Amino acid sequence: ARIKILVHELGIEKFAREVEEEWQTIKDGQLALDEAVIDDLRSRFKYPAYEKLTDNPDELKQALADPAFKAWYRNSVHHHRVPGYGIVPLSRRRVGGPPGDATAEQMDAIADLADRFAFGELRVGHEQNLALPHVAKRDLPALWKALDKLGLATPNVNLITDIIACPGLDYCSLANARSIPIAQELTRRFANHELANLIGRLHINISGCINACGHHHVGHIGILGVEKNGEEVYQ
């Protein structure tokens, strides 16, 4: 939120050049790690016990005949470097709901799905999202059915209704304007997934004050709520 001011003042080229110059002066100092330290760090992380699987299993072929599953698969399953596996971000942006919200019951169920389908691993991203990082493609139909029952299989990842918003005036004492109701109304306006797919990848970020916790300055469309003369105004 603060670097944006520096980038604005210096320009992106000069900012990048000064960062690179600073890095050259410090990279061989205290930040430098020898191979022994790197090997020790590497030993603390273990990859899952991947199986040798096909990228196009029969279970997946059969499930793709269902238009609903096919829409979700195309939107919400990303490439994995290990054949036969996929990365599955979980959509927590339902139409009319607060962006990123999940109930305690949903989170318990997601933890169970991580144990069942993703080697017990669940990752949290900087875009207010969750992801199952290692899902066998043969298990995708079963995972989709489970997510659909939980209301977490909306095929809108990275689309216009996949909105990032800060808590805004509803929950934050620093905010000047509401963020959540704006996001909710936008999801209703673009609830048609065919329209959202036609628009394509589009990130909307909403902040309820200049502190920019919703990172409105890095979205394709950024909305900033401010207070003017006692009223909420949006830029």
Side-chain angles (χ1 to χ4, degrees), residues 20 62 90 94 101 110 176 182 186 196 212:
E20 182 61 29
Q62 295 169 8
L90 307 182
R94 60 184 175 82
D101 258 19
I110 290 170
N176 303 123
I182 306 300
L186 284 171

Side-chain angles (χ1 to χ4, degrees), residues 31-73:
L31 295 176
L33 301 177
D34 59 38
E35 288 301 318
V37 174
I38 294 174
D39 288 341
D40 178 60
L41 291 171
R42 187 177 288 121
S43 71
R44 299 169 188 266
F45 296 87
K46 295 182 179 179
Y47 289 108
Y50 296 118
E51 299 178 58
K52 290 186 177 180
L53 303 174
T54 175
D55 263 333
N56 199 21
D58 291 337
E59 296 89 344
L60 179 58
K61 292 178 185 177
Q62 295 169 8
L64 286 171
D66 182 341
F69 174 81
K70 187 176 183 178
W72 174 82
Y73 176 77

Side-chain angles (χ1 to χ4, degrees), residues 164-216:
I164 293 176
C166 73
L169 197 58
D170 290 309
Y171 297 103
C172 179
S173 60
L174 299 177
N176 303 123
R178 293 173 178 83
S179 297
I180 292 174
I182 306 300
Q184 290 174 299
E185 185 57 32
L186 284 171
T187 63
R188 296 186 189 102
R189 174 64 178 82
F190 295 97
N192 184 318
H193 296 310
E194 291 184 7
L195 175 59
N197 278 304
L198 182 64
I199 294 170
R201 181 169 183 150
L202 183 69
H203 292 281
I204 296 179
N205 294 50
I206 307 172
S207 299
C209 76
I210 198 63
N211 285 310
C213 295
H215 296 176
H216 64 275

